Structures are given as C-alpha cells and as structure tokens.
Amino acid sequence: MSEATNPVLRAITRTSLVGQILVGLVAGCLLALIAPGLATSASLVGDLFVAALKAVAPILVFVLVMSSLANHKRGQPTHIKPIMLLYALGTLSAAVVAVLASFAFPSSLVLVSQATDVAPPEGISAVLRTLLFSVADNPVSALLNANFIGILAWAIGLGFAFRHASDSSRALIGDLSAGVSLIVRVVIRFAPLGVFGLVAGALAESGFDALLGYLHLLVVLVGCMLFVALVMNPLIVFWKIRRNPYPLVFTCLRESGLTAFFTRSSAANIPVNLQLCQRLGLHEDTYSVSIPLGATINMAGAAITITVLTLAAVHTLGVAVDIPSALLLSLVAAVCACGASGVAGGSLLLIPLACSLFGISNELAMQVVAVGFIIGIVQDSAETALNSSTDVLFTAASCIAHGDYDPLPQGETDRV
C-alpha cells in the first residue's frame, strides 16, 4: 500500500520528529504504568537506539571534520574562536549561578555508606594531563573508545593534509561524509522508538521512589539548569547578536535538548546536533568542528552538578565558606567540567576534587558521588540536555553575529 493511501504512513510523515518523540514519551510512560514487566523488555529498543548513536558518532565526527577541512575554500571564514569564548563564558556563568543558588537554598545530604569502585582524579593537573594524552591517542584507539579529543586532532590533521590532495581524492572524502551522514539520518528517524524504550525501561526499573529523599537537592540542581537554559544563555546570546534570542533558544531546546535528555549522552547527541545545524543552514566548516568540540568542553550542566553537590556536602558538614572560596569553587568547577568527558565517570567523579578545596576527605566525598548516582536518572538527563542544546545555541549565535546565518522570525521555527 502506498504512502498516499495508507493513513498511518501519511500521519507519520506529516508529524514532525519532535512530535513523534513526544508520542513515544507518552507511550513509554503508559506502558511502564500498565505493564512494568513488558516495559522492562522494551528498554532493549532504547538501549539499541543509544548504542547505534554512539556507534555512528565517532566515525561521523572523524569523516565530517576531515571532509570540511579538506574541501574548505580559502578565504571562507570560520568562527571557532568566538564559539570557544562563548563555551567558556557559559560554563563559568553556570558555576556562578550554582554557587548563588546553593547559598540561597542550602541542601543537606544523608551521606550513604556505599562506595564506588572508581578512583577520582587527584587534581586539576590530572584532568588536564588526561586531556593532553587524549590528543596523542592512536587514531584507531580513539575511534574505538570514542575519544573525541583524539578524533578531532586526527581529523583536523588529516583534513589540512588532504587540502593538497587531488580533486578526485577530496571528492571521495566528501562522498564518504555524505554517506555517513545519510546513515545518521536513518538512525535518527528511529528516535521516537528509542525514546519509547528508554522511558519505559527507566520508569519500570527505577521509578522515582529513590529520588523523593533528595527532592530538595534535585529541585536546586534542575532549577539551576533551567535558569541557565532560559535566562543566562539567552542573555549571553543577546549580548552576542543584539536581538531576541528566544526563538533560537527554544528551537535548540526542542530539537537538541529533548533528545539529549533521554539519551543522557553528549556523544550520542552529536549526530542530532550536526543534523540540526545543517537544517538551520549554519556554516559546515564551523559546526563540524564546534559541535564535537562542544560535546567535550562545553559543560555548563557538569559545572552546576559539581558546584551544587560540593556545596551540599559543605553545608551538611557545617564547613564555613566565604565569598573568595565560593568564587574559587566556581573557577575550579568550570575548569573541571571542561575535562569531565576525559575522566571515567564524568562530572560526578570530579566532585572529590572540588570537595578537597574545603578539606573534605576523599571517603566523605565519594559518598557524595554515591548520592549523585542515586539521583542520576534526573540529574544526568537534565545536565546532558543543557550541555548539548547549548552547543548548537552558541554555534548559531556566533554565525548570526558574523552574518553567516539569518535566524527565522518568531512563529516560523516549525520550519526548522
């Protein structure tokens, strides 16, 4: 039966991808409530979707960056430096917001006895050392382990090298990039099914009972992330483009943040962000580098997590904190957040480093990390949504400021 005569296929093709994802979200919630046993099995679909995104992301970044640089026309501008500045400003401002919120609404923890079997970094030097060695990683190892710093380094090096190759060789690299991009578009079309499985499995297996004891802490964490997403980031974008930032902000949250919330992986959301940048009409030579780079160093959500949980431990233990110490914590959290993806366990394992500023022992700090794992079902989702959507937001803002992209007027964002 053709698409024209099949009402189901016609309804699917006429519904936007975001609308289909929302349907998958509601269906997953209903399945978890009605048939928890079946919902647990449905989680396989969600896990498979995330695995497919993670599998395609490294090769996509490698090929796309290499192709963009190899086929870059001389004199064509890119705006990586301004985007890097926005990334740094956004992450630092998020840490400051988290400090202010933690002072205004102090949280207390019931420190648990469970420990983790992973070791946190011993200092900022260890975080930076990990990042530096990531650059020097073997290219095959970088692709296998999704080391995006190493992937970027090799892709940039080979991209510049292939600028001197023959036209046919550069055309082949361009065709390879187009082929991988097509595979990514096919994977993303299964996002509604993936969200359905992720939501159904998460609610059936965990529920939210374990989160009730940490409701205040979650409200502070998620409240900070919402404030950054809806107030701080728009202010930064307005400073950059001098026009109403909210149509672009809401587009990025809807198209990127929603998917990232459920995949809970910045790496898995790289293909989604690259496709969104393409639909927005951004400069490919810019977004092909800024998006994977942002997934590595643009970590406003991680800065909030590190700061709020550290100050919650400080308040619980009755440690006095003055303004200079709080500002130092903001700076340390921002630097650590930029290195979060280079450390096993992400932002939570950088909490002991921040706790050490206030003389909190590693044993107590690791108990705070355990609390972070308990609330991770919400904390990690919100953190990833903020991080990933901001990558596209700041990339688009820089392109607007330099005249490479004219945003759609408010009311036309459905065309994006």
Side-chain angles (χ1 to χ4, degrees):
M1 186 179 293
S2 67
E3 178 183 314
T5 59
N6 191 318
V8 176
L9 290 177
R10 190 164 60 248
I12 291 175
T13 54
R14 289 182 177 179
T15 304
S16 68
L17 182 61
V18 175
Q20 295 174 26
I21 290 175
L22 291 175
V23 171
L25 167 62
V26 174
C29 293
L30 292 176
L31 182 63
L33 291 173
I34 297 172
L38 187 59
T40 302
S41 301
S43 65
L44 175 64
V45 179
D47 294 339
L48 184 62
F49 172 67
V50 174
L53 283 174
K54 287 183 176 180
V56 77
I59 188 65
L60 173 66
V61 170
F62 180 73
V63 172
L64 188 62
V65 172
M66 181 173 59
S67 174
S68 296
L69 293 177
N71 293 287
H72 176 72
K73 297 178 181 178
R74 296 186 182 277
Q76 205 171 38
T78 58
H79 315 296
I80 300 301
K81 289 183 179 179
I83 295 172
M84 291 281 288
L85 175 62
L86 292 179
Y87 284 169
L89 181 60
T91 301
L92 182 60
S93 64
V96 173
V97 167
V99 167
L100 296 176
S102 296
F103 275 110
F105 309 101
S107 302
S108 297
L109 303 176
V110 178
L111 296 180
V112 295
S113 59
Q114 82 180 82
T116 59
D117 57 355
V118 287
E122 297 177 357
I124 295 179
S125 60
V127 176
L128 298 178
R129 184 176 184 274
T130 300
L131 290 178
L132 287 175
F133 275 90
S134 295
V135 175
D137 196 7
N138 179 284
V140 177
S141 174
L143 287 169
L144 288 175
N145 299 309
N147 168 18
F148 286 97
I149 290 290
I151 291 170
L152 275 174
W154 279 98
I156 291 171
L158 288 173
F160 280 115
F162 277 118
R163 280 190 179 187
H164 306 287
S166 63
D167 291 341
S168 58
S169 296
R170 286 187 282 112
L172 176 62
I173 295 173
D175 291 340
L176 180 61
S177 174
V180 176
S181 298
L182 176 62
I183 295 174
V184 170
R185 287 196 293 271
V186 172
V187 172
I188 292 175
R189 289 305 304 173
F190 287 93
L193 285 175
V195 169
F196 164 75
L198 290 169
V199 172
L203 290 180
E205 293 178 12
S206 301
F208 290 95
D209 293 341
L211 305 178
L212 294 179
Y214 298 99
L215 185 59
H216 181 273
L217 179 63
L218 275 172
V219 169
V220 174
L221 273 169
V222 176
C224 287
M225 294 177 189
L226 286 174
F227 185 84
V228 169
L230 299 176
V231 179
M232 290 303 300
N233 282 351
L235 285 174
I236 294 172
V237 172
F238 176 77
W239 165 74
K240 187 70 176 177
I241 67 176
R242 302 298 180 183
R243 64 179 76 177
N244 180 14
Y246 281 99
L248 182 61
V249 169
F250 291 139
T251 296
C252 293
L253 287 174
R254 182 187 65 191
E255 300 282 342
S256 172
L258 184 63
T259 307
F261 185 88
F262 294 108
T263 61
R264 298 170 62 185
S265 170
S266 294
N269 216 51
I270 287 176
V272 177
N273 281 352
L274 290 173
Q275 189 179 60
L276 174 57
C277 289
Q278 183 183 36
R279 293 204 306 272
L280 287 171
L282 304 187
H283 197 275
E284 184 176 357
D285 287 355
T286 298
Y287 74 73
S288 63
V289 176
S290 69
I291 293 302
L293 191 62
T296 306
I297 67 171
N298 183 34
M299 295 288 173
I304 290 172
T305 298
I306 294 168
T307 303
V308 170
L309 283 173
T310 298
L311 289 178
V314 167
H315 180 260
T316 301
L317 298 172
V319 179
V321 180
D322 53 16
I323 298 299
S325 298
L327 293 177
L328 177 60
L329 174 63
S330 299
L331 182 60
V332 170
V335 173
C336 290
C338 292
S341 61
V343 179
S347 59
L348 291 178
L349 288 184
L350 293 169
I351 291 172
L353 192 157
C355 285
S356 66
L357 293 175
F358 304 98
I360 298 175
S361 68
N362 188 65
E363 180 182 352
L364 288 174
M366 289 306 292
Q367 293 182 33
V368 179
V369 173
V371 172
F373 283 125
I374 293 173
I375 64 173
I377 186 174
V378 174
Q379 168 267 325
D380 195 30
S381 296
E383 177 183 315
T384 307
L386 174 61
N387 292 341
S388 195
S389 62
T390 305
D391 296 344
V392 182
L393 178 65
F394 286 165
T395 298
S398 183
C399 290
I400 292 171
H402 291 85
D404 285 348
Y405 165 60
D406 187 17
L408 293 172
Q410 191 161 4
E412 295 186 21
T413 53
D414 287 341
R415 287 170 43 197
V416 176

